[in-house]
């Protein structure tokens, strides 16, 4: 069973961290430790989290916490989602895919959906009756969203969707999928639209493989196929076709900040676990921590992690004020995930041979970290976006 590691970074609580958020932090950590962690090895082996776990999270108020109360949420802010996301990282249940559901899928509906759409979908997302996914990536289009080939053709009062998607997080569990499609394949970015598909209510929708990944085994990641899938025209997000690319660009900074929150929580956990390990492990008659190399390496990692934590807290504050720029969000995503992979590698090395054994948490954290530099836009794309600000 995973447990919350001791705090290793000496960073003051940010101004946005209210008493209510401190209570949420305690509750979220306790929920992950008691309700998710005891079953997590099974989730890893079956490569999917039980739907019952989602329903328990909904009952605990941990789904759609940033959604308004009139739509089934708790009326929180992104700070609530950051706290919940970091509880997942701090307790080592990183494959529980509620962060995407909460802080990526639901906001698309809140910010771009009609009142009818919000009333229809958000309360069911908040209970876990609906599990959300967003289908952007295709076999031939990853970070280049303008390269999407899936289409939605209008037919009376319906759209007919055709195409395939891959690497879709929550892909096996999801029964509400926001699909990035071309409504006008000749118009480039201006021909992109977002469609909401309730998979239980349509024909022609198929799930492909639950993909065999290096890490995050507990999180179902899938191929999705749309073969003449008919949905009502009312399932278009936005007031008209062609708004999808702008909607994506509007929401991507939060997605990239979310990935940075995931990264810093895993960094903190890795450091805490490694410090505990080197204090106990003996080599040549003394603890591994007694060696100057160990002390210097951990001093370096703690320093870098402290700066990263301060930066992430600053980005959350900026986002809560509505002032987080796409450039700064890209910096957070790229810098934090690069550091995350460095920390996991160095901490595994300090575990020696045991770090390569799956029974030690650092081994799984090493595997789980790698994808962070890829999804949400590769770190190379982040550098391109930052370079445009020069």
């Amino acid at each position: 069973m995973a447990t919350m590691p001791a705090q290793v970074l000496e960073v003051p609580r940010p101004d946005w961290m209210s008493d209510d958020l401190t209570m949420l932090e305690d509750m979220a950590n306790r929920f992950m430790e008691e309700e998710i962690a005891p079953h997590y090895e099974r989730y890893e082996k079956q490569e999917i989290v039980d739907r019952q776990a989602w329903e328990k999270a909904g009952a605990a108020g941990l789904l759609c916490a940033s959604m308004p109360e009139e739509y089934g949420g708790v009326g929180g802010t992104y700070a609530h989602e950051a706290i919940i996301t970091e509880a997942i990282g701090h307790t080592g249940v990183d494959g529980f895919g509620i962060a995407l559901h909460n802080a990526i899928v639901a906001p698309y509906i809140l910010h771009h959906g009609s009142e009818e759409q919000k009333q229809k979908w958000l309360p069911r997302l908040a209970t876990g009756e609906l599990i959300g996914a967003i289908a952007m990536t295709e076999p031939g289009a990853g970070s280049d969203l303008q390269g999407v080939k899936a289409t939605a053709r209008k037919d009376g009062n319906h759209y007919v969707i055709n195409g395939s998607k891959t690497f879709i997080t929550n892909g096996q569990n999801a029964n509400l999928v926001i699909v990035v499609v071309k409504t006008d394949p000749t118009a480039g970015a201006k021909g992109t639209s977002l469609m909401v598909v309730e998979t239980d209510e349509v024909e022609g929708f198929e799930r492909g493989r639950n993909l065999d990944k290096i890490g995050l085994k507990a999180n179902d990641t899938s191929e999705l196929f749309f073969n003449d899938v008919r949905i009502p025209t009312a399932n278009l997000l936005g007031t008209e076709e062609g708004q999808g690319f702008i909607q994506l660009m509007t929401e991507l900074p939060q997605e990239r900040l979310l990935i940075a929150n995931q990264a810093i929580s895993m960094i903190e956990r890795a450091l805490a676990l490694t410090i505990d390990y080197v204090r106990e492990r003996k080599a040549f008659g003394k603890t591994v921590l007694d060696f100057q190399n160990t002390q210097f390496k951990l001093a370096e990692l703690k320093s870098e992690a402290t700066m990263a934590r301060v930066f992430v807290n600053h980005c959350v504050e900026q986002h809560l004020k509505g002032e987080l720029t796409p450039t700064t969000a890209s910096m957070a995503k790229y810098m934090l995930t690069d550091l995350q992979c460095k920390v996991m590698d160095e901490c595994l090395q300090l575990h020696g041979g045991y770090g390569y054994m799956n029974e030690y948490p650092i081994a799984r954290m090493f595997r789980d970290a790698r994808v962070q530099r890829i999804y949400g836009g590769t770190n190379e794309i982040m550098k391109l976006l930052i370079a445009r600000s020069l």
Side-chain angles (χ1 to χ4, degrees):
M1 176 175 170
T3 55
M4 174 73 179
Q7 176 137 357
V8 295
L9 304 186
E10 298 164 25
V11 177
R13 280 220 183 278
D15 291 340
W16 52 261
M17 189 71 178
S18 65
D19 290 344
D20 285 348
L21 287 170
T22 300
M23 291 172 62
L24 173 64
E25 181 180 52
D26 293 341
M27 187 271 280
N29 282 318
R30 189 168 60 252
F31 176 89
M32 299 303 166
E33 287 181 348
E34 295 176 358
E35 300 292 345
I36 306 301
H39 309 286
Y40 197 71
E41 288 300 326
R42 176 168 59 83
Y43 297 155
E44 285 267 298
K45 287 183 172 64
Q46 68 191 27
E47 299 188 351
I48 191 169
V49 174
D50 294 346
R51 289 193 71 94
Q52 184 182 29
W54 286 81
E55 293 163 1
K56 285 183 176 180
L62 296 176
L63 297 185
C64 300
S66 59
M67 295 298 105
E69 291 182 38
E70 61 263 36
Y71 304 126
V74 300
T77 66
Y78 177 78
H80 291 70
E81 305 300 359
I83 294 298
I84 294 166
T85 296
E86 290 191 12
I88 291 169
H90 284 145
T91 54
V93 294
D94 304 284
F96 188 23
I98 65 172
L100 177 134
H101 172 99
N102 288 347
I104 299 175
V105 175
Y108 273 100
I109 295 170
L110 179 68
H111 298 152
H112 308 291
S114 66
E115 183 62 27
E116 182 182 354
Q117 289 171 336
K118 295 173 195 176
Q119 295 283 357
K120 181 179 182 183
W121 292 318
L122 290 176
R124 293 156 68 202
L125 287 168
T127 62
E129 176 191 343
L130 292 177
I131 294 177
I134 183 161
M136 297 187 197
T137 303
E138 296 181 0
S143 296
D144 177 17
L145 292 174
Q146 295 190 53
V148 164
K149 301 294 185 191
T151 61
R153 174 179 54 84
K154 201 167 187 178
D155 182 22
N157 60 354
H158 285 79
Y159 284 104
V160 181
I161 300 177
N162 281 284
S164 62
K165 301 289 182 177
T166 194
F167 309 145
I168 306 307
T169 301
N170 299 338
Q172 294 290 316
N173 262 332
N175 49 357
L176 181 141
V177 183
I178 299 175
V179 188
V180 181
V181 296
K182 287 293 180 65
T183 41
D184 184 353
T186 67
K190 294 180 180 177
T192 304
S193 300
L194 304 185
M195 304 282 175
V196 180
V197 177
E198 285 193 68
T199 65
D200 297 336
E201 298 185 356
V202 296
E203 296 181 359
F205 170 78
E206 296 178 27
R207 302 180 202 271
R209 298 174 296 149
N210 191 1
L211 298 167
D212 184 13
K213 308 187 297 297
I214 291 173
L216 292 177
K217 291 285 191 178
N219 186 219
D220 50 309
T221 305
S222 307
E223 303 168 313
L224 303 179
F225 300 99
F226 301 84
N227 305 301
D228 290 332
V229 172
R230 296 178 65 86
I231 61 168
T233 52
N235 285 27
L236 169 71
L237 269 188
T239 55
E240 59 186 11
E241 294 178 8
Q243 298 179 331
F245 199 77
I246 294 172
Q247 292 165 342
L248 289 165
M249 294 305 103
T250 301
E251 299 301 324
L252 278 171
Q254 176 161 305
E255 178 176 350
R256 288 162 182 163
L257 177 57
L258 183 73
I259 293 169
N261 281 116
Q262 291 173 323
I264 192 62
S265 61
M266 290 181 72
I267 287 169
E268 289 170 342
R269 178 174 174 79
L271 282 174
L273 291 173
T274 303
I275 291 168
D276 286 346
Y277 179 82
V278 297
R279 279 179 175 150
E280 299 296 326
R281 177 71 174 164
K282 296 285 180 66
F284 303 102
K286 53 185 178 180
T287 71
V288 174
L289 185 57
D290 287 331
F291 291 95
Q292 189 181 67
N293 177 70
T294 305
Q295 295 171 11
F296 280 13
K297 183 56 64 179
L298 286 171
E300 174 189 328
L301 297 179
K302 180 174 179 177
S303 299
E304 291 178 322
T306 299
M307 289 186 287
R309 166 52 83 182
V310 172
F311 182 47
V312 171
N313 287 347
H314 167 74
C315 289
V316 172
E317 180 180 10
Q318 293 297 104
H319 190 42
L320 293 173
K321 294 177 179 177
E323 297 174 2
L324 180 68
T325 67
T327 300
T328 305
S330 297
M331 291 176 183
K333 193 272 181 184
Y334 128 66
M335 293 187 69
L336 266 291
T337 57
D338 269 12
L339 178 61
Q340 179 184 359
C341 287
K342 174 186 176 180
V343 169
M344 300 309 151
D345 184 58
E346 298 283 13
C347 287
L348 189 153
Q349 186 74 14
L350 288 171
H351 278 72
Y354 287 104
Y356 204 62
M357 300 298 112
N358 282 326
E359 65 190 271
Y360 280 77
I362 194 64
R364 185 162 70 206
M365 296 173 76
F366 177 82
R367 297 193 310 273
D368 289 351
R370 187 58 183 84
V371 73
Q372 292 262 98
R373 290 161 58 193
I374 297 172
Y375 57 26
T378 65
N379 283 7
E380 290 73 23
I381 296 292
M382 297 304 99
K383 292 174 187 178
L384 280 174
L385 296 172
I386 296 162
R388 290 176 185 170
S389 71
L390 298 178

